[in-house]
Amino acid sequence: MKNNIEKTDLSSSRGGSVYKSSVVSIGSTPLGGNNPIRIQSMTNTDTLDTKASVAQCIRIIEAGADYVRLTAQGIREAENLAVIKKELRKAGFETPLIADIHFNPVAAETAARLVEKVRINPGNYADKRASFDKQEFTDAEYNEELGRIHTKLLPLINICRENKTVIRIGINHGSLSDRIMTRFGNTPKGMVFSALEFIRIFRAENFSDLVLSMKSSDTAIMIEATRMLIKMLQSEELPYPIHLGVTEAGEGEDGRIRSAAGIGALLAEGIGDTIRVSLSEDPEKEIPVARKLAGYYPRGISLKAPDKPLTYKVPSSKPEILKRINGPLIVSNMTSYPELNSVVYNNAGFKTDTITGEIKKTGGSADLIIVKNCPEIIPENVFLVLPYRIWSDKREIDRIYPLFSPETFQDSTYVSGKLNLLLTGSHFNIEYLRNPDPETVLVMFTFNPEKEKYATDYFLNALEENNLSHNIVLNPVFSENNLEDLQIKASSLLGRYILDRRVTGISITNTGDIDLKDVTALAFSILQCTETRITRTIYLSCPTCGRTKFNLQESVKKVKEATGHLTGLKIAVMGCIVNGPGEMAGADYGYVGAADGKVHIYRGTVPVLKNVPEKDAVTELLKVIQKDQANL
């Protein structure tokens, strides 16, 4: 078994045809194929509390969910799903229910007789909690382990077959088995092989009513693992439906942006049959966000996209200004203002000293500001881009650079020896992009995503086909009046290009009624949430569920208030220890529910304080961080 698994080719996760899934029947709501992208959420009530669970299921359904998931951590909770389902049906709701299982095969077998779908986690269904210790297996021992798992899965398979219950094989980056992590690491490849182990057992039993998911709190890992999975499924002609989600996405703006960047990247490629946006908020609030994502990349839209190249050409050099930036560039378009003043600088992320009036750079200040006119005095750390005719008259001034069209750049008498910004769009002429030197030129690609959502793909592919490599700044032009709509659209559109390292920077233009300061902040938040440029503390927090041991939303707020002044750390706030240690494997610190009113404090994946009273937990977390920083 081991050798067969390891022969599966996952060498490239890009390129290839559009993935077309098969259809599985989840109650009265089929999933996959040409059916609409289905939306779901998960309750955060105690599953033994029938009244509260039914009420929350109804709120989720009325918000627009196609499926509702409930945790069943034990047999009693699994049995109570029948009562909850009965009450929902009595109230006139036929929405299929899903049981979420960790560590308890008997609970899964119980639930499979009662609900339409069961989610199991291969990392802990038949294995104990991962210890993150290397456990070397011989081929014989590895095959023996797979045989043990097969035996443990067989009752569930037979029950699901008898009851027409669908199974989701839900892989979590944070909860792979020690067996998988020893052989493949806590990696996207490990996630795919974890799924493959279970898929082959189900195939051996001729059971095909499966849904698959690759989830992580890291958008890049979630995307890469899902792409790898799709490649494997295509190579073996296994068209299972795909569930998409970014775990521990958080709450508020960051939760929406992180989810949109990860889920949107895959929906844009035609991958995804059902989505769950995991926010640390009331679960019904997830549904409108998921609906907007599914609406932005509806079923079939990826047929308009060109094939992706298997490899991307990366510029071998870049302008000096980019070498000083640890991550993608942010360009702020302020050409709507006729003159520069403090309002313009504040909208570009700078702050004005209330006493001196001095313009000061912050972690969220744009790297370049495009303006119409050149001021007499340019504040320190401000870099301006001007129309080339205005620039040419003042080109001796430091920290100003010219803006050209590719055509005028070719014929211009004067160009900058440091940085030139070439503005082009979907009607580009490739001939004018053959000669510019990437060491002194940025190419800014402007397009209207509502009319030409895949314009960037065609443009980047044209560069690849002509063996050209340029430092590209993407500039989608939106016309949104609602900030959440802009956050979701811009993040889902730009995330995949940033994460694939196909572009050097981003600039968001919006002609609607949204403050330009919020537009600049959004650009930085997209980079923050994709972890391509960190300018503040990263917070990961899970959506609450029936396993949560404290008021997670309140805890997230307290942790942020206590640590918001820190920069560059990743802090995870987790409701329980089911996925906590693994899901926050990339976090510096963790605040994890251990029991009612008790919290474990983690440094990385190691608990340094256990069973801290909840009222003291935030203070103790801050003490651990402060002590570590003092010892640096």
Side-chain angles (χ1 to χ4, degrees):
M1 179 73 77
K2 173 236 178 185
N3 290 334
N4 288 338
I5 288 178
E6 291 197 347
K7 285 179 181 177
T8 301
D9 178 21
L10 301 179
S11 58
S12 172
S13 58
R14 302 189 182 101
S17 58
V18 173
Y19 181 73
K20 180 68 177 291
S21 63
S22 57
V23 177
V24 295
S25 296
I26 304 176
S28 59
T29 308
L31 174 69
N34 292 322
N35 288 292
I37 296 169
R38 303 299 189 184
I39 308 301
Q40 59 180 280
S41 184
M42 184 174 179
T43 61
N44 59 18
T45 53
D46 182 346
T47 309
L48 293 175
D49 187 337
T50 302
K51 184 177 180 180
S53 296
V54 169
Q56 193 170 77
C57 284
I58 291 173
R59 290 197 296 275
I60 292 170
I61 294 165
E62 290 182 336
D66 298 299
Y67 311 120
V68 179
R69 183 157 44 114
L70 303 95
T71 185
Q73 60 266 52
I75 298 173
R76 290 176 60 223
E77 287 85 356
E79 290 174 339
N80 202 51
L81 292 173
V83 182
I84 293 170
K85 183 176 179 179
K86 180 180 178 181
E87 291 299 311
L88 286 170
R89 300 298 180 257
K90 190 189 301 182
F93 296 95
E94 298 296 325
T95 303
L97 300 184
I98 304 168
D100 191 76
I101 308 294
H102 290 275
F103 297 111
N104 199 327
V106 179
E109 293 159 15
T110 303
R113 295 183 172 95
L114 306 172
V115 296
E116 288 82 0
K117 180 181 172 187
V118 173
R119 179 275 173 120
I120 61 173
N121 182 345
N124 59 37
Y125 187 82
D127 291 287
K128 66 181 186 301
R129 187 185 309 280
S131 64
F132 299 94
D133 294 328
K134 278 188 169 291
Q135 297 184 9
E136 298 294 344
F137 292 90
T138 65
D139 287 359
E141 290 170 334
Y142 192 93
N143 287 331
E144 185 178 333
E145 282 289 293
L146 295 184
R148 177 182 63 83
I149 293 169
H150 193 144
T151 299
K152 207 149 193 175
L153 274 172
L154 198 53
L156 177 65
I157 293 172
N158 290 332
I159 291 168
C160 288
R161 196 193 324 270
E162 292 167 10
N163 291 274
K164 295 182 170 53
T165 306
V166 174
I167 294 177
R168 170 157 72 97
I169 300 175
I171 309 297
N172 276 17
H173 177 228
S175 56
L176 301 178
S177 67
D178 283 327
R179 176 185 63 261
I180 285 289
M181 285 196 285
T182 294
R183 188 150 289 189
F184 303 106
N186 192 19
T187 62
K189 185 176 182 180
M191 294 170 69
V192 174
F193 279 108
S194 179
L196 187 56
E197 286 183 347
F198 271 52
I199 289 169
R200 291 195 171 174
I201 291 171
F202 283 102
R203 288 181 68 192
E205 295 298 327
N206 197 31
F207 185 92
S208 58
D209 285 340
L210 299 176
V211 179
L212 309 177
S213 66
M214 301 276 123
K215 287 194 170 185
S216 173
S217 59
D218 186 314
T219 52
I221 289 174
M222 172 263 195
I223 291 169
E224 184 177 357
T226 305
R227 285 173 173 167
M228 280 187 177
L229 175 69
I230 293 300
K231 178 178 175 58
M232 184 273 288
L233 295 177
Q234 287 176 319
S235 68
E236 301 200 12
E237 298 183 351
L238 301 173
Y240 299 121
I242 303 297
H243 171 120
L244 298 181
V246 177
T247 59
E248 286 80 54
E251 44 84 56
E253 175 188 272
D254 282 358
R256 285 156 176 76
I257 291 172
R258 185 175 284 112
S259 291
I263 296 171
L266 294 166
L267 290 178
E269 297 173 8
I271 299 170
D273 299 284
T274 179
I275 61 178
R276 191 264 173 110
V277 174
S278 299
L279 302 177
S280 301
E281 302 175 24
D282 294 336
E284 59 266 28
K285 292 184 179 180
E286 298 176 350
I287 303 303
V289 180
R291 282 276 169 221
K292 289 176 182 178
L293 265 171
Y296 197 55
Y297 287 111
R299 176 77 75 195
I301 192 172
S302 62
L303 295 173
K304 299 178 181 179
D307 288 340
K308 294 179 297 181
L310 293 176
T311 59
Y312 304 139
K313 184 181 290 295
V314 178
S316 58
S317 58
K318 55 186 179 181
E320 186 62 34
I321 188 174
L322 298 184
K323 297 175 184 177
R324 301 195 296 268
I325 298 168
N326 186 22
L329 180 83
I330 297 289
V331 180
S332 185
N333 182 358
M334 293 293 160
T335 55
S336 59
Y337 289 89
E339 301 291 340
L340 266 78
N341 52 36
S342 61
V343 173
V344 173
Y345 290 123
N346 290 342
N347 284 340
F350 292 82
K351 286 188 176 179
T352 304
D353 189 297
T354 55
I355 298 175
T356 66
E358 182 183 359
I359 304 298
K360 294 187 174 182
K361 183 179 176 63
T362 72
S365 297
D367 305 302
L368 289 174
I369 309 174
I370 303 176
V371 294
K372 283 184 174 180
N373 295 291
C374 183
E376 293 298 323
I377 299 175
I378 301 176
E380 187 178 1
N381 294 317
V382 171
F383 297 84
L384 303 179
V385 176
L386 302 148
Y388 82 98
R389 292 188 185 279
I390 297 174
W391 170 84
S392 63
D393 293 334
K394 302 190 177 187
R395 61 184 181 277
E396 300 305 323
I397 298 176
D398 193 25
R399 288 181 282 115
I400 66 171
Y401 308 103
L403 176 67
F404 296 93
S405 70
E407 294 83 354
T408 54
F409 180 74
Q410 298 282 358
D411 300 328
S412 179
T413 303
Y414 299 108
V415 299
S416 171
K418 294 182 178 179
L419 176 66
N420 302 274
L421 188 62
L422 275 57
L423 182 63
T424 190
S426 55
H427 300 294
F428 64 92
N429 186 333
I430 199 72
E431 296 304 315
Y432 291 105
L433 295 171
R434 292 192 182 280
N435 297 321
D437 179 6
E439 194 157 333
T440 60
V441 170
L442 285 173
V443 177
M444 188 168 183
F445 184 72
T446 298
F447 62 104
N448 182 339
E450 296 301 328
K451 295 181 179 179
E452 37 191 16
K453 201 158 287 177
Y454 294 98
T456 297
D457 299 84
Y458 283 99
F459 176 65
L460 294 175
N461 283 7
L463 295 179
E464 293 285 342
E465 291 164 6
N466 285 272
N467 200 32
L468 300 174
S469 62
H470 287 296
N471 292 294
I472 304 298
V473 176
L474 290 188
N475 178 38
V477 181
F478 298 94
S479 57
E480 301 298 326
N481 296 316
N482 178 279
L483 182 57
E484 181 180 272
D485 289 348
L486 181 62
Q487 291 167 349
I488 292 170
K489 290 182 178 182
S491 304
S492 62
L493 182 79
L494 294 170
R496 62 192 177 104
Y497 305 112
I498 296 166
L499 288 165
D500 286 346
R501 304 296 196 270
R502 295 191 77 183
V503 298
T504 301
I506 60 173
S507 176
I508 301 172
T509 298
N510 186 63
T511 61
D513 188 21
I514 296 175
D515 287 346
L516 292 182
K517 186 174 184 177
D518 290 332
V519 176
T520 301
L522 172 57
F524 276 97
S525 291
I526 292 172
L527 301 188
Q528 174 85 11
C529 291
T530 55
E531 299 186 37
T532 52
R533 181 174 177 179
I534 308 303
T535 52
R536 48 188 166 86
T537 297
I538 297 173
Y539 295 99
L540 304 176
S541 59
C542 61
T544 55
C545 72
R547 298 185 297 268
T548 302
K549 300 302 182 182
F550 51 73
N551 186 324
L552 190 128
Q553 293 180 37
E554 187 64 28
S555 295
V556 170
K557 181 180 177 182
K558 289 178 179 178
V559 169
K560 283 187 172 183
E561 288 175 350
T563 60
H565 61 287
L566 305 172
T567 302
L569 293 180
K570 183 186 286 189
I571 300 174
V573 183
M574 313 295 289
C576 70
I577 57 174
V578 168
N579 293 324
E583 287 289 6
M584 62 185 196
D588 299 296
Y589 300 96
Y591 179 108
V592 181
D596 290 339
K598 301 292 183 180
V599 175
H600 288 352
I601 304 299
Y602 279 74
R603 181 187 293 114
T605 58
V606 179
V608 292
L609 296 173
K610 289 189 173 182
N611 296 312
V612 178
E614 186 181 348
K615 64 182 179 63
D616 303 322
V618 173
T619 300
E620 294 302 318
L621 170 66
L622 191 58
K623 285 180 181 178
V624 171
I625 295 172
Q626 290 172 336
K627 183 178 178 180
D628 288 349
Q629 292 189 333
N631 292 331
L632 289 177

